[in-house]
């Protein structure tokens, strides 16, 4: 992570100053305090990104500070430094909202990882708040978008909604065609009247006429009572016909007549009924090709295709993925009483880079699954469906000169991987397929070898650590 503001708190002045010196060498801006009251006052002025505090302090201990900081800076992660005799108190602090604790004497490598992760979490929570603000700005509309392609769709919806024109909505399965149809209805003068949606592909051909226009009692076997069709049900409002291309050719002429005259006759009926319905439609089929093949009436096509709206697939609107993900996280968290609040950056990258053949419907299902599996605050890569989470990472070239020993090759590969992953040891260990402990052991060995070549260096002083940190090198990697 980059530079951050860190408040270091310890009642032992030498320890506090040594901690501040080490944090400064890591590039952070540091403020120090020697008791809880001083820390709380400086936190209000300094607005730290992370607070590092001793847990056992006289008068106002770390828990007192934590409880008061939650009111002043609720999003600021607090990491406690604790002796072995106060681990139970540290666990209690975690229950009350502390981010983590580190046992003294300090392992500077562990401290560095902990700070990086705390900063990473705070940045993620900040992004979550930003996404929620954007969702609030969008308001109650079901159209959640910020990409250029979807902004154009919203503009078209706003323009056509007040009119009486029929609208044809095209796009791949799962792109949200019914959501757009509902938005057109909700922004129209018919908003207070019914919105009825049917999927023509899900209705047997023998029943679709009855579904559309209704039937009288005795019209066919099993028709034991009069039943209105969807046109009657949508009277005064809007009817959305999804998968329009599935309507049988012999029924298309009757549909066209109803659209042109605003009158229908129920199946088996003798009287005509007036209906006032605005029809919106959608299809995955190429209707122009269907017309050429004789499976769709050209006159019906032009009657329904007055105004066209095309929805881009999700893979062409990746800027919308984060805000859609947050929308679904908030929805499913409320449904399941989970405390998950957002998505870890690494998991979000997986979601943004996935091709989404099932579009928003697939994204919705993936987030719902992740919320169910997640027991913490952030959805991680392991909570995503296996075919997403297991996707191979981008490959990069790794070149070495001939003549190196296997140990030297391993060393260069590990250090190169660490640098490529932004010096994040947890992520590097995951990429290399080893435990963090194994990675730390190897980096400790590299650092010891480097120190042996360079001669003695100043030890960590009152922190009980492994020395101060400097530029990225074998001798400094332990502390980074």
């Amino acid at each position: 992570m980059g530079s951050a503001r860190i408040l270091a708190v310890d009642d032992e002045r030498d320890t506090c100053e040594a901690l501040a010196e080490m944090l400064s060498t890591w590039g952070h801006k540091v403020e120090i305090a020697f008791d809880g009251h001083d820390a709380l006052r400086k936190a209000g002025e300094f607005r730290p990104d992370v607070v590092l505090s001793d847990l056992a302090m006289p008068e106002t201990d770390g828990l007192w500070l934590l409880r008061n900081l939650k009111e002043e800076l609720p999003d600021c992660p607090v990491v406690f430094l604790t002796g072995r005799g106060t681990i139970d108190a540290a666990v209690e602090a975690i229950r009350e909202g502390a981010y983590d604790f580190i046992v003294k004497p300090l392992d500077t490598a562990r401290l560095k990882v902990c700070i990086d992760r705390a900063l990473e979490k705070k940045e993620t929570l900040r992004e979550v708040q930003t996404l929620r603000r954007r969702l609030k700005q969008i308001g109650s509309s079901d159209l959640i978008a910020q990409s250029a392609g979807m902004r154009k769709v919203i503009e078209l919806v706003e323009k056509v909604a007040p009119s009486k024109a029929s609208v044809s909505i095209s796009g791949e399965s799962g792109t949200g065609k019914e959501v757009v149809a509902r938005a057109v209805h909700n922004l129209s003068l018919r908003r207070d009247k019914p919105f009825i949606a049917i999927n023509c592909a899900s209705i047997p051909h023998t029943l679709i006429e009855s579904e559309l226009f209704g039937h009288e009692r005795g019209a066919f076997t099993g028709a034991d009572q009069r039943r209105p069709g969807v046109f009657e049900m949508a009277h005064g409002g809007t009817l959305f016909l999804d998968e329009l291309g599935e309507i049988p050719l012999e029924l298309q002429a009757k549909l066209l007549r109803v659209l042109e005259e605003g009158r229908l006759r129920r199946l088996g009926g003798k009287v005509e009924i007036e209906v006032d319905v605005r029809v919106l439609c959608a299809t995955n089929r190429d209707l122009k090709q269907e017309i050429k093949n004789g499976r769709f009436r050209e006159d019906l096509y032009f009657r329904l295709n007055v105004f066209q709206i095309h929805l881009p697939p999700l893979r062409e609107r990746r800027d919308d993925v984060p805000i859609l993900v947050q929308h679904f996280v908030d929805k499913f968290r409320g449904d399941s009483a989970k405390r998950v609040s957002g998505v870890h950056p690494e998991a979000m990258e997986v979601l943004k880079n996935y091709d989404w053949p099932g579009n928003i419907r697939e994204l919705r299902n993936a987030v719902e699954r992740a919320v169910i599996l997640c027991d913490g605050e952030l959805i991680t890569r392991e909570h995503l469906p296996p075919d997403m989470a297991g996707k191979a990472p981008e490959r990069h070239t790794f070149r070495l000169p001939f003549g190196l020993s296997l140990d030297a090759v391993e060393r260069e590969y590990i250090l190169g991987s660490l640098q490529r992953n932004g010096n994040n040891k947890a992520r590097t260990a995951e990429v290399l397929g080893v435990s963090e402990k194994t990675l730390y052991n190897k980096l400790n060995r590299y650092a010891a070898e480097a120190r042996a070549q360079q001669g003695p260096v100043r030890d960590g002083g009152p922190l009980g650590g492994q020395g101060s940190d400097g530029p990225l090198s074998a001798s400094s990697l332990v502390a980074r």
Side-chain angles (χ1 to χ4, degrees):
M1 300 293 290
S3 175
R5 296 186 304 276
I6 299 180
L7 175 62
V9 187
D10 199 306
D11 59 305
E12 295 183 7
R13 183 176 295 271
D14 289 346
T15 300
C16 196
E17 290 176 350
L19 180 61
E21 181 183 352
M22 182 177 68
L23 294 171
S24 297
T25 64
W26 292 350
H28 300 303
K29 185 176 181 180
V30 186
E31 188 70 53
I32 59 176
F34 305 116
D35 60 60
H37 290 294
D38 189 28
L40 195 59
R41 179 181 61 79
K42 289 185 176 177
E45 300 170 353
F46 185 52
R47 313 299 291 183
D49 297 307
V50 178
V51 173
L52 292 179
S53 174
D54 191 14
L55 184 58
M57 296 185 293
E59 297 183 12
T60 54
D61 63 4
L63 277 175
W64 179 91
L65 177 60
L66 174 67
R67 290 162 186 157
N68 285 273
L69 279 174
K70 285 170 68 174
E71 298 179 7
E72 182 75 22
L73 298 171
D75 298 327
C76 181
V78 177
V79 177
F80 283 120
L81 313 178
T82 179
R84 297 192 181 278
T86 55
I87 290 180
D88 288 344
V91 173
E92 177 62 27
I94 295 292
R95 292 196 188 102
E96 293 206 25
Y99 176 73
D100 203 351
F101 68 89
I102 300 176
V103 179
K104 296 178 180 178
L106 292 184
D107 178 340
T108 52
R110 169 88 171 85
L111 177 63
K112 180 66 166 60
V113 169
C114 188
I115 291 173
D116 286 348
R117 288 183 175 174
L119 291 171
E120 194 174 64
K121 179 183 177 182
K122 182 170 184 178
E123 182 61 29
T124 301
L125 294 177
R126 184 182 291 123
E127 290 174 3
V128 167
Q129 292 172 352
T130 300
L131 291 172
R132 284 179 175 159
R133 281 196 297 270
R134 290 177 186 168
L135 285 169
K136 191 173 181 180
Q137 290 169 358
I138 291 171
S140 60
S141 170
D142 291 326
L143 284 175
I144 298 170
Q146 59 183 5
S147 64
M150 282 305 295
R151 283 200 299 269
K152 182 177 180 181
V153 167
I154 293 173
E155 288 176 7
L156 293 175
V157 167
E158 291 172 344
K159 287 180 179 179
V160 75
S163 74
K164 296 181 179 180
S166 298
V167 180
S168 174
I169 306 167
S170 61
E172 295 179 6
S173 177
T175 49
K177 295 186 286 293
E178 184 174 336
V179 172
V180 170
R182 286 184 181 275
V184 171
H185 171 76
N186 291 336
L187 292 173
S188 74
L189 299 176
R190 299 170 178 261
R191 66 176 68 90
D192 296 325
K193 298 297 182 179
F195 174 87
I196 304 296
I198 65 166
N199 188 314
C200 300
S202 66
I203 305 170
H205 281 198
T206 55
L207 297 178
I208 194 166
E209 181 176 358
S210 171
E211 187 71 24
L212 289 174
F213 308 124
H215 64 258
E216 297 289 349
R217 180 179 180 182
F220 52 85
T221 303
D224 55 356
Q225 61 182 355
R226 174 186 291 173
R227 183 178 183 277
V230 291
F231 267 89
E232 284 184 76
M233 294 167 63
H235 179 66
T238 305
L239 174 61
F240 175 56
L241 300 175
D242 199 4
E243 301 295 349
L244 176 72
E246 300 298 328
I247 295 180
L249 185 63
E250 59 272 16
L251 189 58
Q252 293 175 21
K254 188 171 182 178
L255 175 60
L256 177 63
R257 181 175 176 274
V258 172
L259 293 174
E260 291 181 339
E261 299 182 7
R263 302 172 66 86
L264 63 83
R265 183 178 298 168
R266 298 192 191 106
L267 191 61
K270 296 180 179 179
V271 297
E272 289 193 331
I273 302 167
E274 290 190 5
V275 289
D276 173 22
V277 176
R278 182 185 191 179
V279 175
L280 313 177
C281 66
T283 181
N284 285 322
R285 291 192 180 188
D286 182 347
L287 292 185
K288 289 185 177 180
Q289 187 60 46
E290 293 291 288
I291 292 170
K292 291 180 181 179
N293 295 336
R295 290 193 291 265
F296 201 85
R297 292 179 63 102
E298 187 174 31
D299 48 4
L300 178 59
Y301 171 79
F302 286 118
R303 179 65 181 78
L304 290 171
N305 205 42
V306 176
F307 194 92
Q308 304 86 33
I309 296 178
H310 176 72
L311 293 181
L314 191 53
R315 61 183 173 275
E316 293 179 7
R317 42 180 292 211
R318 298 186 190 276
D319 289 348
D320 291 332
V321 170
I323 197 167
L324 285 167
V325 168
Q326 190 60 48
H327 168 71
F328 290 133
V329 166
D330 291 342
K331 170 181 170 55
F332 295 125
R333 178 190 59 207
D335 293 346
S336 61
K338 291 273 189 168
R339 63 189 183 98
V340 57
S341 61
V343 180
H344 189 279
E346 188 177 69
M348 185 65 81
E349 282 302 307
V350 173
L351 294 171
K352 288 168 65 177
N353 293 327
Y354 185 65
D355 282 339
W356 300 110
N359 293 293
I360 297 175
R361 185 182 293 117
E362 184 182 7
L363 174 64
R364 182 184 189 278
N365 293 343
V367 175
E368 182 175 14
R369 176 188 188 274
V371 170
I372 291 171
L373 293 176
C374 183
D375 293 322
E377 293 185 47
L378 297 179
I379 290 171
T380 63
R381 187 169 181 159
E382 66 182 7
H383 299 130
L384 302 180
D387 57 335
M388 284 180 214
K391 188 176 180 182
E394 181 184 358
R395 297 185 179 275
H396 301 282
T397 302
F398 178 66
R399 296 181 180 180
L400 288 171
F402 287 106
L404 292 179
S405 66
L406 287 177
D407 282 346
V409 169
E410 181 186 69
R411 177 183 183 279
E412 293 300 317
Y413 187 70
I414 288 175
L415 296 182
S417 298
L418 187 64
Q419 190 170 30
R420 176 141 210 103
N421 284 289
N423 215 25
N424 185 312
K425 294 186 180 63
R427 191 174 303 148
T428 302
E430 181 182 355
V431 169
L432 294 174
V434 300
S435 67
E436 288 187 47
K437 182 178 179 180
T438 298
L439 180 61
Y440 287 139
N441 288 340
K442 289 184 180 294
L443 294 178
N444 276 324
R445 179 162 60 84
Y446 300 153
E449 292 171 354
R451 285 196 295 269
Q453 294 175 358
Q454 296 172 0
V457 295
R458 182 174 62 88
D459 63 26
L463 294 176
Q466 296 167 328
S468 61
D469 194 21
L472 183 61
S473 66
S475 61
S476 64
L477 282 170
V478 178
R480 296 177 71 90

